[in-house]
Amino acid sequence: HFVTNMFIRANDPSDLEGFEPDFTVINACSQVDEDWERHGLNSEVAVVFNIEKKCAVIFGTWYGGENKKGIFSLMNYWLPMENPPQFPMHCSANVGKEGDSALFFGLSGTGKTTLSADPHRALIGDDEHGWDEEGVFNFEGGCYAKTINLSEETEPDIYRAIHRDAMLENVALKGENNVPDYFDVSKTENGRVSYPIFHIDNYHEPQHAGHPKNIIFLSCDAFGVLPPIAKLAPEQAMYHFISGYTAKVAGTERGITEPVATFSACFGAAFLTHCPTRYAELLKEKLEKHNAKAWIVNSGWSGGPYGVGKRMAIKTTRSCVDAILDGTIENTTWTKDPVFGWDLPASIPNVDDNVLNPRNTWPDPKDYDAAERKLAEMYVKNFEKYIGKGNTD
């Protein structure tokens, strides 16, 4: 049922007559690799691909996402080698009434699915897309959303998509009627729901659109350093795309007692099969050719790090995204951050002006300055491994 929801469906069952698959995935989730140490693995779980035989086998994990993420890794391998090259992306995408598409890159928990499900725009897809000579297109036929703290008030499109044929995963049930409790994370915070794309009322039926006007990099910064929104120059866009920054917070993983920086190249390092600089080169080519703009949007903490400051309200993050997509952000003035060099807006509709410059939200600006320098050093240290690789400086 998971793959029925997530993979692209035939328009008519007769379309599958004589169908020859490009690749076969065998899910042996109840079997484990008991000889995993000799095979050089980290555990008895294994996801094994043989590209020459066009076959994959999944061992020892019941996580539904493995059924699609392996195929996504293959797309990351094949598409850049097409002629002309196509750009595979770990992102969500939506499109406005004027055909203006937008991309949302981000790791799990940054708001990729939530922010692309916009009542004023049509959803193309929430996780995996390609960008070719004609525009962007969805790899999938469904969505795979996190359910932690899900409510109709905060995420109405996703909440209303959960009905017959949606599939819940790792979600607690309560009462005699087994009502889902999205606030019960006693087993795991990684509750999920899989549903076909057409469960979203305003989904974009063609599942493709023209070249995007805006590229948004989402980060959940637990250090409270990143601004809620910043504008990036093309070179900065490449840098932050390769960096793929977010942060883990205390309580989400064993042993984490304070925020920990996480850098996942191209916001999807686990799926990359070429050097990250190859995908950054493709991004640069697309940005320059189609005059697209790039932005950082922080859905994390403001006013201090995790434990001191507060998580950015989803309404604030949504207002920042709205300002990008409706163009009202162009009506403001800008200041340049002295450390990261990106441009900060002076004002945005429905957002407190003080929040737009994170330094203004900290009790002691000197503490912010120290935290910003520390995070910048982490960026630099992480980027050292890419120096001298690829064709891009």
Side-chain angles (χ1 to χ4, degrees), residues 326-378:
D326 65 20
T328 56
I329 197 168
E330 300 297 343
N331 300 327
T332 188
T333 56
W334 304 86
T335 58
K336 192 171 292 292
D337 183 88
V339 175
F340 281 93
W342 46 42
D343 293 325
L344 306 179
S347 63
I348 284 179
N350 304 313
V351 177
D352 183 349
D353 291 351
N354 284 326
V355 174
L356 294 173
N357 187 331
R359 190 173 189 269
N360 296 337
T361 67
W362 281 52
D364 188 339
K366 292 182 180 179
D367 290 341
Y368 172 82
D369 295 339
E372 185 179 32
R373 288 193 298 270
K374 181 179 179 180
L375 181 59
E377 290 169 359
M378 294 180 192

Side-chain angles (χ1 to χ4, degrees), residues 65-110:
E66 295 295 353
N67 293 284
K68 75 187 190 86
K69 288 303 185 183
I71 298 299
F72 182 48
S73 296
L74 290 174
M75 301 295 273
N76 275 277
Y77 178 70
W78 283 324
L79 292 190
M81 297 190 293
E82 291 286 310
N83 186 20
Q86 298 181 27
F87 182 21
M89 304 172 294
H90 184 221
C91 69
S92 58
N94 63 23
V95 60
K97 295 178 180 179
E98 303 300 322
D100 52 310
S101 64
L103 303 180
F104 300 77
F105 289 86
L107 299 173
S108 178
T110 58

Side-chain angles (χ1 to χ4, degrees), residues 11 68 184 216 269:
N11 292 324
K68 75 187 190 86
D184 183 348
I216 299 172

